[in-house]
Amino acid sequence: MTHADSPPRPPRKVVVVGGGAAGLMAAGIAASQGARVTVLEKTGRTGTKLGITGKGRCNLTNSAPLELFLKAYGHQRQFLRQAFMRFFSSDLVAFAESLGIPAELEPGGKYFPTGNRAPEFAEALAEWTVASGAAIDKNSAVSEIVVRDRRIAGVRVGSHKVVPADAVIIATGGLSYPETGSTGDGYSLARALGHTIVPTRPALVPLETKGDIAPRLQGLSLHDVAVRLITQDRPQAALLGDLVFTHYGLSGPVILLVSLDAVDSLSAGKKVEISFDLLPSLDERALESHLLERFSGLGTKQLQNILKELLPSSLVPVCLDLADVSGNITGSQVTTAERRRLRHLLKDFRLTVTGHQGYAEATVTAGGVDLAEVDPRTMQSRLVAGLYFAGEVLDIDGPTGGYNLQAAFSTGRLAGHSAATGGP
């Protein structure tokens, strides 16, 4: 038999562990490359977390250019470069539209499905995966990745059944929102095969604060506030954004952005505070001049009413209490010392951070499979041939604004292609 007459190679058998964003993308791409693909999802539904992400709005990606997008990942950026170069934000937006879910660009560069249809997008993604040729087995919990001679041989489901495989993609997510099925199974599977797991902790998570200030302000949202995390009396660079007071402490985009540093500092036993500059458009000198002008120009008006021109009304009595100034005095009665205390408070409103809301409220999980043990060109393990990783199970965590979903889809697509073809 000549080489030309040799029988075609059988399709590669690919098993994807996890039916979330990364897993479904990986499965659909692998199937479209001709692989025989099975998705093993331990719960009764696929895309559960995707369907609730962004409070049902599903922030797909961000319009930031590639280099700025990568910069947002800090030391993880070089690992993601290959995946993003092959499938980036414009590709994801086009892909969503091909599923019948067009995306709209909103302020801040965020892309959301038109009509904020996260559940519909999750359903459309699963339908596309099946239409591409992949099978989805639900209620199928994986207990072991079977390896022979440092090469993938199959996947054990439950206690006995082994599903043969030439390649396995672990896309089980992290630990955040455990009610969706993200309970860290992928870390255990990877660790059993010799992989290092960077310690996991909640990221993009609301923070808990000391005292009754936050409860008194519950429900109040502040916009374009300059926020600093202060650890052991050492302030970090200020970030500008929105926050909201809750019954337990603080939430909102800018709080989530500083939360991982707060979590790590608290774990190290350090003192952690959050400082707000309530009037970031005015520096100290400009604010002093403004207060002098207002207090003298409105000399007969009560101080609490003057401050309502600067601050939300619910914040005024709290600021007055913290500055130890009566709101019933008139503007002309404010002493130099009282004005100084008010000015300082408006530029440095502090709350002590005592904890966080944990994985139940964390948008993503920081930590995971060590990136040094994964080939960024293929998402294949450097330790076990035929083993691939995608999504949040990796030591990848980006900021809010669509970054984390983009990483899930990009790494999933690359892993799926590599697993199906056996190469980059």
Side-chain angles (χ1 to χ4, degrees), residues 132-320:
S132 298
I136 298 177
D137 290 351
K138 301 173 184 176
N139 299 307
S140 298
V142 172
S143 57
E144 180 189 5
I145 308 295
V146 181
V147 174
R148 297 193 181 96
D149 298 324
R150 300 184 65 80
R151 179 173 293 276
I152 287 294
V155 169
R156 188 179 305 279
V157 179
S159 303
H160 305 290
K161 179 183 176 183
V162 174
V163 180
D166 301 303
V168 171
I169 302 172
I170 296 180
T172 50
L175 288 161
S176 55
Y177 298 129
E179 73 276 8
T180 66
S182 295
T183 52
D185 300 349
Y187 305 137
S188 301
L189 294 172
R191 188 182 288 111
L193 299 178
H195 272 280
T196 303
I197 305 301
V198 176
T200 57
R201 56 263 197 237
L204 302 182
V205 62
L207 299 176
E208 298 169 352
T209 58
K210 182 180 180 180
D212 67 346
I213 300 302
R216 286 177 64 184
L217 296 171
Q218 181 179 351
L220 173 64
S221 296
L222 299 179
H223 304 287
D224 295 326
V225 174
V227 171
R228 291 180 189 271
L229 187 72
I230 301 175
T231 304
Q232 296 292 84
D233 297 320
R234 299 180 63 179
Q236 295 186 7
L239 296 177
L240 197 67
D242 301 345
L243 63 88
V244 60
F245 292 93
T246 68
H247 67 281
Y248 55 79
L250 299 164
S251 189
V254 73
I255 297 299
L256 299 185
L257 287 174
V258 303
S259 64
L260 180 56
D261 285 336
V263 169
D264 288 343
S265 295
L266 288 169
S267 296
K270 297 178 180 179
K271 175 186 175 184
V272 180
E273 297 172 291
I274 293 281
S275 170
F276 318 133
D277 183 344
L278 298 172
L279 299 170
S281 62
L282 298 174
D283 61 22
E284 288 272 358
R285 181 175 297 180
L287 180 56
E288 172 71 3
S289 297
H290 184 77
L291 292 178
L292 276 169
E293 178 185 338
R294 300 309 291 166
F295 293 167
S296 61
L298 299 170
T300 61
K301 195 171 184 179
Q302 281 191 328
L303 177 59
Q304 59 191 351
N305 294 324
I306 297 174
L307 291 179
K308 287 177 182 178
E309 299 176 8
L310 289 175
L311 303 169
S313 58
S314 60
L315 189 56
V316 170
V318 173
C319 286
L320 289 168

Side-chain angles (χ1 to χ4, degrees), residues 11 26 57 125 170 225 247 297 317 326 356 391 407:
R57 299 195 65 210
L125 179 63
I170 296 180
V225 174
H247 67 281
S326 171
H356 53 80

Side-chain angles (χ1 to χ4, degrees), residues 41-55:
E41 166 56 44
K42 76 172 186 178
T43 72
R45 293 181 58 189
T46 59
T48 304
K49 185 175 178 181
L50 181 61
I52 65 171
T53 185
K55 297 181 180 178

Side-chain angles (χ1 to χ4, degrees), residues 73-80 170 173-174 186-187 190 195-201 203 260 264 364-374 379 389-398 404 407 411:
Y73 287 90
H75 71 278
Q76 304 159 344
R77 62 183 180 273
Q78 287 305 111
F79 178 86
L80 287 166
I170 296 180
Y187 305 137
H195 272 280
T196 303
I197 305 301
V198 176
T200 57
R201 56 263 197 237
L260 180 56
D264 288 343
V364 295
T365 305
V369 175
D370 193 331
L371 301 184
E373 298 171 355
V374 180
M379 296 295 132
F389 298 96
E392 198 177 348
V393 71
L394 291 160
D395 179 24
I396 295 171
D397 59 281
N404 292 289
T411 57

